[in-house]
Amino acid sequence: MLSTTGACQVTPSPAIDPLLAWYDAHRRSLPWRAAPGRKPEPYHVLLSEIMLQQTTAATVAGRFEGFLARFPSMTALAEAEQADVLHGWQGLGYYRRARALHACAKAVVARSDGDLPRNENELRELPGIGAYTARAILAIAFDQPCVPVDANVARVLARLHGVETPMPAALKELQERADALVSPGRPGDVAQALMDLGATVCRPRRPRCDVCPWQDVCAAHAAGTADQLPRRAIRPERQVRRGLAFLLTRPDGAILFRRRPDDGLLGGLHELPGSPWEHGPLSVATALAHAPQAADWRLGPEPVHHGFTHFQLELTLAEASTATPPQGQWCSPHRLHELALPTVMKKLLRLAGYHPGAANR
């Protein structure tokens, strides 16, 4: 019987063989994953792990190959302009990761001519690489005996061992549980098998316990609590910030944009000029004082909603045209796809009838 309290070393680790047998039969085919019997490409592992941070595998699968075609090697990525990297990152969100990935590539090329380190401490010195990403690279790219714990793996282990400690406080214990699963034979496959098990069988909702290779030794399955674990700490409600976004056009139809500062939220991306994002109700008069030009601004009836990690954003679109355009970065509608636009700006442009993901005719 598995212990659901106490120190993790008192609970024996389940056998790895059933997990690997399941993985060999049911492994996911993913664009960045090496075929069975083939060595993984470390650059592909790095790209995928950075992309998969806070983004679903399905989203990354739809964009990985396009990004790789644009930046086919560590050197190509290091030599690219940051604006091009940000443009290639569109649709993946959390653009800070793209800037960190670019800086990481530059550092790797400068230090070792494009070869990733094979040491956890050296990996963690690189921009954008924390403990999890370093372990994932070591296990998957270099077959070193360690088990990274992402959200899928944490869920599997919390249920397997009946861990009641809420997340994220349980992460330290779950990493210790993962370390007990280290296999010198196929460490990369063990890591990916755990990820796949969490993604396809030990799912957040309606786990498929009937096809799980560890069903017989799972504490949560035995207790009937699989769909309740891992426990989650109560999150404080996110605050709402509000503002205006100004869509100003000139006679030839071009739209005024500006580029956000490199540091901070959505750094280096293009946006419509706007008012500061303030807490509390929107003061239209105060927000209009930040318009790029005095004009007959027409406000949309409903704001666009967009969620960030720590707050919700409500932006109301204000539209106007001008015969005396101010200085700035103007973009024709048929070239909107060339800008590095965050999702919230694409929502605003679509609301105004533009199609930023493709050339507008």
Side-chain angles (χ1 to χ4, degrees):
M1 185 69 165
L2 297 177
S3 171
T4 59
T5 58
C8 64
Q9 63 264 25
V10 303
T11 303
S13 296
I16 291 296
D17 290 346
L19 175 68
L20 289 175
W22 173 87
Y23 179 67
D24 290 340
H26 302 287
R27 58 180 285 152
R28 290 180 293 175
S29 177
L30 299 168
W32 54 86
R33 182 174 283 176
R38 302 288 297 273
K39 287 188 176 181
E41 166 54 55
Y43 175 59
H44 296 183
V45 176
L46 170 68
L47 282 186
S48 65
E49 289 301 330
I50 298 293
M51 288 180 173
L52 286 164
Q53 294 170 6
Q54 299 175 295
T55 305
T56 65
T59 299
V60 174
R63 290 164 172 81
F64 179 83
E65 290 177 320
F67 190 92
L68 186 64
R70 193 165 181 171
F71 310 105
S73 67
M74 191 81 75
T75 300
L77 180 60
E79 293 177 349
E81 296 293 330
Q82 185 181 92
D84 293 335
V85 176
L86 293 173
H87 186 272
W89 195 263
Q90 287 183 100
L92 291 167
Y94 299 95
Y95 286 85
R96 179 175 54 188
R97 295 175 301 155
R99 296 192 296 275
L101 174 64
H102 190 216
C104 177
K106 286 178 175 288
V108 171
V109 169
R111 297 180 191 183
S112 58
D113 199 29
D115 293 328
L116 280 169
R118 300 187 178 213
N119 172 277
E120 183 173 350
N121 291 334
E122 292 180 16
L123 280 168
R124 293 186 64 176
E125 290 174 358
L126 296 170
I129 297 184
Y132 164 77
T133 304
R135 282 173 163 263
I137 291 170
L138 292 174
I140 300 170
F142 301 125
D143 227 23
Q144 292 193 20
C146 59
V147 179
V149 177
D150 67 356
N152 285 324
V153 177
R155 184 167 56 255
V156 170
L157 296 176
R159 291 170 175 174
L160 179 67
H161 296 286
V163 175
E164 292 285 343
T165 305
M167 296 287 284
L171 279 175
K172 182 176 183 295
E173 178 181 352
L174 295 177
Q175 183 62 68
E176 292 172 353
R177 301 279 190 182
D179 291 341
L181 294 172
V182 167
S183 167
R186 299 171 59 185
D189 285 345
V190 168
Q192 294 177 106
L194 286 166
M195 295 173 186
D196 282 10
L197 188 67
T200 64
V201 173
C202 198
R203 303 175 301 188
R205 297 178 182 85
R206 297 187 298 276
R208 301 170 60 208
C209 298
D210 58 315
V211 295
C212 179
W214 281 341
Q215 176 192 144
D216 293 342
V217 292
C218 177
H221 176 65
T225 59
D227 59 352
Q228 300 171 29
L229 297 178
R231 306 289 184 189
R232 296 284 176 182
I234 297 175
R235 281 186 170 185
E237 188 174 343
R238 287 185 291 180
Q239 291 183 315
V240 179
R241 299 182 188 178
R242 298 176 175 87
L244 291 182
F246 301 103
L247 196 156
L248 183 65
T249 57
R250 65 188 187 190
D252 65 354
I255 303 168
L256 180 64
F257 287 89
R258 66 185 181 189
R259 187 173 176 272
R260 292 180 66 87
D262 287 334
D263 295 332
L265 186 66
L266 305 179
L269 302 182
H270 296 101
E271 68 174 357
L272 298 171
S275 67
W277 302 343
E278 304 285 3
H279 297 293
L282 174 64
S283 170
V284 174
T286 301
L288 283 172
H290 296 276
Q293 187 179 73
D296 182 18
W297 291 100
R298 305 177 302 280
L299 270 60
E302 296 292 337
V304 161
H305 299 265
H306 190 75
F308 291 98
T309 304
H310 300 296
F311 67 94
Q312 291 281 348
L313 178 63
E314 293 181 3
L315 286 182
T316 298
L317 187 65
E319 298 183 67
S321 57
T322 179
T324 56
Q327 292 293 318
Q329 182 173 358
W330 293 85
C331 182
S332 299
H334 70 277
R335 301 187 68 178
L336 290 175
H337 61 287
E338 297 178 7
L339 299 179
L341 293 166
T343 299
V344 65
M345 290 298 130
K346 292 182 178 181
K347 290 179 180 179
L348 289 162
L349 289 165
R350 292 190 188 104
L351 183 65
Y354 298 95
H355 304 281
N360 290 266
R361 295 288 184 255

